[in-house]
Amino acid sequence: MLAVALSAALFGLAGTAAADTKIGFVNTQRVFRDAPAAVKAQKKLDGEFSKRDQELQAMAKKLQSLQEGLEKNAVTLSESDRRNKEREINDLNRDFQRKQREFREDLNLRQNEEMAAVLERANKAIKAIAESEKYDLILQDAVWANPRLDITDKVIKALSDDKAAAK
């Protein structure tokens, strides 16, 4: 009987401690999408990479045009002209593939750098919210969280206020 009473008392204490625990949740995808710092970072990246993107699109159109021209005129071209055109298309395609791969790698690297900076600022804002509002635990990127635990809007607002203070 003593063991049963002791177990009941321990479960009662555990239930009380769990009831007093304050938990929050932050959706980092929303922070990356909606926070002013993230929007600014994305615009910066768009400006930084737009020229290279346009060059790649122009190169792709040229490649497609050359390919269509070869297909259309293959019957009338001499064997050597056809081989020269095919070689030109293959060289351009290889160059296009290389430039496209470099573009993706550079863009991914810069996106990771910019998002790391946003995440660092978001983590500071989360920590400040946790300390000021006495949270015991704040989770990021859970499979599911009750909407009443979501403090993402507070974090985005804190990042907005941080941006205004930085001006």
Side-chain angles (χ1 to χ4, degrees), residues 66-83:
L66 286 172
Q67 185 67 38
E68 289 171 355
L70 177 64
E71 289 171 6
K72 188 183 296 182
N73 299 322
V75 177
T76 60
L77 289 174
S78 68
E79 184 65 24
S80 63
D81 286 344
R82 187 180 56 75
R83 275 192 304 240

Side-chain angles (χ1 to χ4, degrees), residues 43 53 62 69 71 80 83 85 87 91 94 99-100 117 125-126 133 151 153-154 159 166:
K43 285 182 183 176
D53 186 41
K62 180 179 180 183
E71 289 171 6
S80 63
R83 275 192 304 240
K85 288 281 186 191
R87 190 176 305 118
D91 290 345
R94 194 173 21 259
K99 286 183 177 186
Q100 190 176 43
I126 292 167
E133 297 185 20
I151 63 167
D153 290 331
K154 290 180 184 180
L159 290 173

Side-chain angles (χ1 to χ4, degrees), residues 114-132:
E114 291 293 330
M115 290 303 118
V118 171
L119 184 60
E120 183 179 335
R121 290 178 60 200
N123 285 338
K124 287 178 183 177
I126 292 167
K127 186 176 180 185
I129 291 168
E131 290 172 354
S132 69

Side-chain angles (χ1 to χ4, degrees), residues 5 8 41 58 64 68 73 91 93 101 136 160-161 165:
Q64 183 180 5
E68 289 171 355
N73 299 322
D91 290 345
N93 188 37
R101 185 177 54 253
D136 296 306
S160 298
D161 294 344

Side-chain angles (χ1 to χ4, degrees), residues 52-64 66 88-104:
R52 284 175 63 184
D53 186 41
Q54 290 171 356
E55 289 171 359
L56 280 172
Q57 288 178 18
M59 194 178 228
K61 285 181 183 177
K62 180 179 180 183
L63 188 60
Q64 183 180 5
L66 286 172
E88 179 186 355
I89 291 170
N90 287 335
D91 290 345
L92 184 61
N93 188 37
R94 194 173 21 259
D95 190 36
F96 173 72
Q97 297 294 330
R98 182 185 52 78
K99 286 183 177 186
Q100 190 176 43
R101 185 177 54 253
E102 289 173 355
F103 174 80
R104 279 194 306 264

